[in-house]
Amino acid sequence: MQQYALSEQIAVWFAPTLTKARRSYERSSSLHLVLLILANVLGCALMLSPVILLIAASAATIHMLSHIQGPLDWFLVGVLGSISLFCGILSTQLYYSRPGTHSGVRIEKKQAPLLFSMLERRVSHFGIKPIDHVILTPQAELKIRVTPSWPIPFFHKYTLCAGAPSLFFISPGQFRLALAGAIAATASRQKHVLGWAVQASDDWATIIKSLESYPTLYAKLFLKLATGIAEFTGRTSTELRADLQHMQSRWVLENTDENNAMDYLANQVVASSFLAQQYWPMMFKAAERCPTPVVKPFSHFELIVERILTEDAARRWLLQAQACRDARHTGLRDLLAVLSIDHLQWSKLPERNAFHGIFKSSAILKNLDKYWQTIVAPEWNERHTRFRKEKTRFEKLQERAQIQNLRGDSAMHYIQLAARFLDKEKAISVYLSTYKGNQDNADICYASGREMLVCGHSQVGYEALQRASELDRSLAIRAHALINEHKQAWLKPGNGVINAALTA
């Protein structure tokens, strides 16, 4: 009992010291950097331990062979030889366990000679290591991706990933700036300790995938070790990574005039938002009809963008990004504040985009179509299968609803699926009948009322939401918020569509 009281007293004595040490650690970026470097160096040494032991055991074996004096020496030679053999096997497996580089459509020099000449000049200017591969990707990006050549955070390969969609949103001049910014960010990582430490912490995720894809003895022995190091370095490098996150955009914006900088940043936001919120959902809509991907999203990308992209949509995406409501653009507000930019405006698509300024022909887009169809095939098939199951379920619920009133989960699923498989007028009748048959269920009243507001059936929608708030007080705030947003949206001149406000 006295020993327990003494331990409690010691804990009370050291509590302020421990609290002060923890706060100092949380506030000290230098301490984070030191720990990150030590963890990466230690992890690298442990991953290379088979090679180190192989060299040491082989050297010791050779030394013992020239100084054998008895049976014990022969025994030691046998032990060291066995260790050398075992470590040699692990070292061979380490050598062949090479992480894969980023995938895409390989760009050859004859396809884009201007791109390669720009790349060579900027690599020479910034003094970075040569770029190993140049690929065209389906994403909206222009970045230099780094992958380790072996399962250690050293000896990297560099791949320039040019997102085909983004090339249609920027001008050739903005592309040159973006390319210089990507190389400048890579140079900063190569030449500074902070950049190497953060890059090494990013490498561990790639190393883990490599070990998981090659189930060798080496992978089984070192996978848990790599996972532990990845978790520690990931936590330690969070704040340090934030300093490097927008280095590429910051360099571009600081090395051009304000108008060009705003146009470039706005085009980045609009391109990524267009793909995520409008273009890819439209493409994957075809998965409902076909079990395999047959659409060609890049061969006709430019024509589709010109037809469906509107200024109102671009303005809305820019406002969402600046308000930090879009996870893809975290930190945009801070970046604008540093550069003293109040807000972004979109200046429409460029008259001559970067794709036509770089590539001689658009034939490479057909190859990108085939590549995209290959990588999305599993997701596409999953969407198709899920759609068929949901449609079958909806048809069964519809048949049951004609015979009897649906209750509980069946009624909720019926409401959720009606908007997908029925037009507005028929869907309203589903919401109305389900609401009237479930006026004692708060969740169904809320879901019915919300969907009726989306369809413009205001009065009954208000009634259903009010009923939900009376049955369940926890729904009252959300129900009244939907009602108020709906009324305010209708009060705005020219605003007849409120789906975005209701589904936010």
Side-chain angles (χ1 to χ4, degrees):
M1 190 69 179
Q2 291 180 351
Q3 186 178 2
Y4 178 74
L6 181 61
S7 63
E8 277 193 344
Q9 188 66 32
I10 293 174
V12 171
W13 288 342
F14 284 97
T17 304
L18 293 174
T19 303
K20 185 176 180 180
R22 185 176 66 253
R23 290 177 179 174
S24 299
Y25 166 75
E26 293 173 353
R27 295 174 181 174
S28 175
S29 58
S30 300
L31 184 57
H32 284 181
L33 179 59
V34 170
L35 291 176
L36 187 61
I37 292 173
L38 291 175
N40 285 317
V41 171
L42 177 62
C44 184
L46 292 174
M47 298 296 286
L48 286 173
S49 58
V51 179
I52 297 172
L53 288 175
L54 172 62
I55 295 173
S58 300
T61 302
I62 295 172
H63 177 76
M64 290 292 296
L65 284 173
S66 60
H67 297 81
I68 291 180
Q69 296 181 354
L72 181 59
D73 292 336
W74 282 109
F75 174 75
L76 291 176
V77 168
V79 172
L80 291 173
S82 300
I83 294 174
S84 300
L85 178 62
F86 180 71
C87 291
I89 295 173
L90 293 182
S91 300
T92 304
Q93 293 176 351
L94 166 63
Y95 179 79
Y96 287 106
S97 299
R98 301 192 177 191
T101 56
H102 291 271
S103 59
V105 176
R106 184 80 172 266
I107 302 175
E108 303 295 339
K109 189 172 183 178
K110 61 182 180 180
Q111 294 173 309
L114 181 60
L115 171 60
F116 280 83
S117 64
M118 285 191 293
L119 187 60
E120 290 172 1
R121 289 196 302 270
R122 282 155 180 77
V123 166
S124 175
H125 174 75
F126 287 97
I128 68 169
K129 297 178 181 178
I131 304 299
D132 298 285
H133 306 290
V134 181
I135 61 173
L136 197 65
T137 68
Q139 291 81 29
E141 63 176 356
L142 182 62
K143 294 183 178 179
I144 295 178
R145 301 289 186 180
V146 184
T147 52
S149 300
W150 291 280
I152 52 175
F154 286 101
F155 310 111
H156 295 97
K157 292 182 179 179
Y158 297 87
T159 304
L160 175 63
C161 301
S166 64
L167 299 180
F168 291 97
F169 283 84
I170 60 177
S171 65
Q174 290 174 347
F175 175 81
R176 291 188 183 93
L177 282 170
L179 180 61
I183 296 176
T186 304
S188 178
R189 287 201 172 205
Q190 288 183 359
K191 296 177 180 179
H192 295 87
V193 177
L194 172 61
W196 173 84
V198 173
Q199 180 60 58
S201 65
D202 294 337
D203 290 341
W204 288 109
T206 307
I207 291 170
I208 290 171
K209 290 181 181 179
S210 172
L211 296 178
E212 289 175 343
S213 60
Y214 296 98
T216 59
L217 178 60
Y218 176 87
K220 293 178 181 179
L221 291 175
F222 289 90
L223 180 58
K224 288 186 176 180
L225 171 64
T227 303
I229 295 173
E231 292 175 354
F232 178 79
T233 55
R235 290 194 305 268
T236 309
S237 63
T238 301
E239 295 183 5
L240 300 174
R241 185 179 288 106
D243 298 334
L244 303 174
Q245 187 175 7
H246 297 287
M247 185 179 297
Q248 178 177 343
S249 297
R250 189 180 295 113
W251 188 95
V252 174
L253 301 181
E254 289 175 351
N255 286 271
T256 186
D257 61 273
E258 184 175 348
N259 290 333
N260 200 20
M262 292 175 62
D263 288 344
Y264 166 75
L265 199 55
N267 287 334
Q268 274 192 317
V269 173
V270 172
S272 60
S273 299
F274 170 76
L275 289 174
Q277 300 189 35
Q278 189 171 4
Y279 192 69
W280 291 129
M282 181 181 70
M283 290 292 109
F284 278 103
K285 190 73 176 174
E288 299 174 357
R289 301 186 299 273
C290 184
T292 57
V294 294
V295 297
K296 298 179 179 180
F298 299 104
S299 296
H300 308 289
F301 183 82
E302 184 176 13
L303 181 62
I304 296 173
V305 171
E306 292 175 350
R307 288 188 176 183
I308 69 175
L309 180 59
T310 63
E311 290 188 35
D312 290 338
R315 191 180 303 112
R316 183 175 68 252
W317 295 329
L318 287 173
L319 291 173
Q320 290 175 351
Q322 292 170 95
C324 299
R325 294 180 61 186
D326 194 334
R328 292 182 301 276
H329 307 295
T330 55
L332 178 62
R333 180 187 294 178
D334 296 336
L335 181 60
L336 294 177
V338 170
L339 300 169
S340 301
I341 298 177
D342 296 330
H343 63 280
L344 295 176
Q345 293 181 345
W346 189 55
S347 59
K348 299 184 180 181
L349 294 170
E351 294 181 1
R352 186 169 184 266
N353 58 56
F355 182 85
H356 293 301
I358 294 171
F359 291 93
K360 291 184 175 181
S361 71
S362 58
I364 194 172
L365 295 178
K366 296 180 180 179
N367 296 333
L368 189 60
D369 286 332
K370 295 178 181 178
Y371 167 77
W372 179 83
Q373 290 170 355
T374 302
I375 61 173
V376 302
E379 180 185 358
W380 187 280
N381 183 262
E382 181 183 349
R383 285 172 178 261
H384 178 76
T385 303
R386 185 168 64 247
F387 174 81
R388 300 306 304 174
K389 289 181 179 179
E390 290 177 350
K391 187 175 182 180
T392 302
R393 177 166 177 73
F394 175 74
E395 291 172 349
K396 291 181 179 179
L397 291 172
Q398 198 172 28
E399 292 176 0
R400 285 178 54 194
Q402 294 175 354
I403 301 173
Q404 63 183 16
N405 182 43
L406 297 180
R407 304 276 296 176
D409 292 339
S410 297
M412 184 64 72
H413 291 153
Y414 193 36
I415 293 171
Q416 293 169 348
L417 296 173
R420 189 169 185 182
F421 298 104
L422 297 176
D423 57 34
K424 183 186 292 187
E425 295 300 325
K426 292 181 180 179
I428 289 176
S429 64
V430 168
Y431 305 144
L432 186 59
S433 61
T434 308
Y435 159 63
K436 290 183 176 179
N438 293 270
Q439 294 192 20
D440 57 342
N441 189 311
D443 292 330
I444 293 177
C445 290
Y446 179 84
S448 301
R450 180 186 58 196
E451 297 300 331
M452 281 190 279
L453 290 190
V454 171
C455 294
H457 208 60
S458 307
Q459 193 58 42
V460 184
Y462 295 157
E463 179 185 327
L465 290 173
Q466 184 63 37
R467 179 62 179 168
S469 64
E470 292 173 357
L471 292 172
D472 187 349
R473 302 306 299 175
S474 64
L475 295 174
I477 296 177
R478 283 187 288 167
H480 291 149
L482 283 178
I483 293 172
N484 292 335
E485 287 180 6
H486 183 271
K487 291 180 177 179
Q488 291 173 5
W490 279 105
L491 289 175
K492 293 179 181 178
N495 188 5
V497 181
I498 57 170
N499 295 18
L502 293 172
T503 58

